[in-house]
Amino acid sequence: MHGSGISIWFFIGVLLAIYGFLICGYGIYELVTGHVANVALANLHAPVWWGAVMLALGAFYCLRFNPRRN
Amino acid sequence: MFVEGHHELAKLSFLDVIVIAVYFAMVIWIGFYLKQKANTSEEFFMAGREMTAWIAGLSFVSANLGSLELMGWAGSAYQYGILAAHWYWIGAIPAMLFLGLVMMPFYYVSKTHSVPGYLKLRFGEPSRVLAAVSFGFMTILMSGVNMFAMAVVMKVVLGWDITFSILMSSLAVAVYVTLGGLRSAIFNEVLQFVLIWGGALLVPILGLIEAGGWTKLQANILANYHGLDYTHMWRGLAHFSTNPMGVHWTGIVFGLGFVISFGYWTTDFLVVQRVLAADSLRSAQMAPIIAAAFKMAVPFIVILPGLLGLVILHNPDGTLMHLVGENAVSAANPHSYNEVLPLMLVRYCGPGLLGLGITALIAGFMSGMAGNVSAFSAVWTYDIYQPLINKKATDKHYVAVGRWATILGVVVSIGTAYLVMHAQGIMDYVQALFSFFIAPLLGTILLGMFWKRATGAGGFWGLLAGTATSISLYVWVKLDPAALSVVAFSPDAKDMAENLYRALWSWVICVLVTIVVSYMGKARPESELNGLVYGATVLPNEAPVPLIKNHWFWASIVIVVFFVLNLMFF
């Protein structure tokens, strides 16, 4: 699926990056303001690290499979 | 299906709505982007046969991972314990490897467009039409069940109206499959596969942290459910009465591990279509092996949350929550088994993550539905419309028919979803469908592929007899529940065991009838069987590749991991 337009992995990268940015951003907002959502294990701040992992993966795929680069 | 006045489990925040909206925008964008690459029938129905092994493999496993699969098996894990993982391991892995290593060359070399298409080449038109009509019927019903399951989740979790959920999601699927055909379905399935993991993986991770690890989870389950073994896969299977599922190991090994599993993974066109779209025979053989590796990991996001629910979910007053069957939901027990995954999701996921989890469930539904309608569209166009209605139309005409068939499939699925709304026990119904159509088809395909003596008449009458046997046994047990002890060999057998043994019966009848009828007729000359039957086919020689790219090497690794997992949880 490469070389004939946009790769599926680029679409996935875009989606993961957007989600990672939104979720990690919200997690940081929670950390800064102290307004933590009422969920179990909120002290682990899952939105911060889960969002960061998604953002990193998304950014990697966006760069690696960027249609301009190919 | 749910209690009147049921209060939703969660409310979506603005952030959650954005997460869901971004997903819908992405799938529609993909559909419009790929419309330009779906102009010929080969592009629309077979995605131009240019998928890499990874894309075909992920799409292969994703098309099977519908919302029914996610919700239903998480609920079954809560109900039956780790026995539910059999449907992911022995009920999938050997069959997927067999498809890749042994059967794929025949499907691929024959250049068939569908599984009924292979039957046409091997057994003739009557077998093809019978299989195509059965498959079309089953596919639409499955699509409707899947759609309804998703709408119920949205109703229970978010309080969304069932009609709104059904229309919104099915419209999106209709748009992207109608525009981009199989390529769009496959693209989105890969995207959805990643999303399902991204949205669902957090639940078992946080659940295991809260439960204190696997060993502590096992101890707590044992303490809460005195004596019932929920965490071992084989120990309780010596007798029907010593496990929560009421099944015997023979049913799991032969009924599930052989007939149902091999039937589904090697003959159900919904999944085989993805592999037929591969760019080479090597990719087509590698794709099911890649899919098998991921399939083995799925219990982590489906079965484990169900097991965690047994000890982690508590009522507001601090007592242990007891989930019940759909028919037993009441004010005292407001949640059913099928709600275990959403309950776990809501427990750990705040704004953003909840939207992601809900998106994963919607993605699961859409991948399952897109799989069904794209397969339906191909079978309708190639195996029903072309041979029976319009033999000599242009390629452009068949693409248009495929697009209309996609829309027709979605519309009929919506009707089916409303039909199953009034039916009891969805999983029972789904398993029954498998045993009706998939189990006998396995007998026909196996004999067709591996026995040169099988004739066209043998294939047709065997398939018909197997299907009729399965439906008759189902009706017999419905009319006289005592018949279950005959069908499943034990008065202690339960519904799930009945499904496994009914499939076994229908396969045996199909094989016997095919053999007897074939011996009554004249076999086709061997020269006509090239590309169709083992022993009469010259397979293309492929250039040697390094070990790291060899499909036998990766299949060996997968089978070793498969045995290790079964031993670990024995």
Side-chain angles (χ1 to χ4, degrees), chain B residues 188-201:
Chain B
N188 274 302
E189 279 156 8
V190 177
L191 181 90
Q192 285 147 359
F193 185 78
V194 174
L195 260 185
I196 290 167
W197 277 90
L201 185 59

Side-chain angles (χ1 to χ4, degrees), chain A residues 7-19:
Chain A
S7 161
I8 177 59
W9 306 112
F10 178 73
F11 286 105
I12 289 171
V14 170
L15 195 65
L16 287 179
I18 294 173
Y19 281 168

Side-chain angles (χ1 to χ4, degrees), chain B residues 28 45 51 97 108 131 150 163 169 176 180 225-226 230 249 253 255 377 389 422 457 461 500 502 512 527 554:
Chain B
I28 300 293
F45 297 111
M51 298 295 137
L97 298 182
Y108 201 82
M150 190 268 322
T163 301
S169 304
Y176 77 71
Y225 299 86
H226 316 283
Y230 278 85
W249 70 267
V253 172
S377 163
I389 300 171
H422 305 290
W461 289 109
L500 302 179
R502 191 174 56 237
L512 287 178
S527 57
W554 288 109

Side-chain angles (χ1 to χ4, degrees), chain A residues 1-16 18-19 22-23 25-27 30 37-42 44-51 54, chain B residues 15 18-19 22-23 26 29-30 33 37 50-52 55 58 183 187 190-191 194-195 197-198 201-202 205-206 209-210 346-353 356 359:
Chain A
M1 295 305 293
H2 313 302
S4 60
I6 305 175
S7 161
I8 177 59
W9 306 112
F10 178 73
F11 286 105
I12 289 171
V14 170
L15 195 65
L16 287 179
I18 294 173
Y19 281 168
L22 291 172
I23 291 168
Y26 173 78
E30 270 191 345
N38 183 25
V39 293
L41 302 181
L44 296 180
H45 298 288
V48 177
W49 50 267
W50 197 248
M54 291 181 82
Chain B
L15 184 59
I18 291 181
V19 167
V22 166
Y23 167 72
M26 181 65 82
W29 176 29
I30 291 176
Y33 170 69
K37 294 171 186 281
E50 57 180 35
M51 298 295 137
T52 63
I55 290 175
L58 291 183
R183 191 193 305 265
F187 251 66
V190 177
L191 181 90
V194 174
L195 260 185
W197 277 90
L201 185 59
L202 201 54
I205 292 174
L206 293 175
I209 292 173
E210 189 177 6
V346 169
R347 181 174 180 79
Y348 297 117
C349 296
L353 286 177
L356 185 65
T359 306

Side-chain angles (χ1 to χ4, degrees), chain B residues 41 116 125 167 271 390 548:
Chain B
S41 57
E125 202 66 83
L167 290 183
V271 285
N390 189 348
I548 199 84

Side-chain angles (χ1 to χ4, degrees), chain B residues 103 107 115 262-269 272 438 441-442 445:
Chain B
M103 290 177 79
Y107 281 136
V115 172
F262 276 65
Y264 177 75
W265 291 103
T266 67
T267 71
D268 190 324
F269 183 55
V272 173
I438 289 293
L441 184 59
L442 174 68
I445 295 268

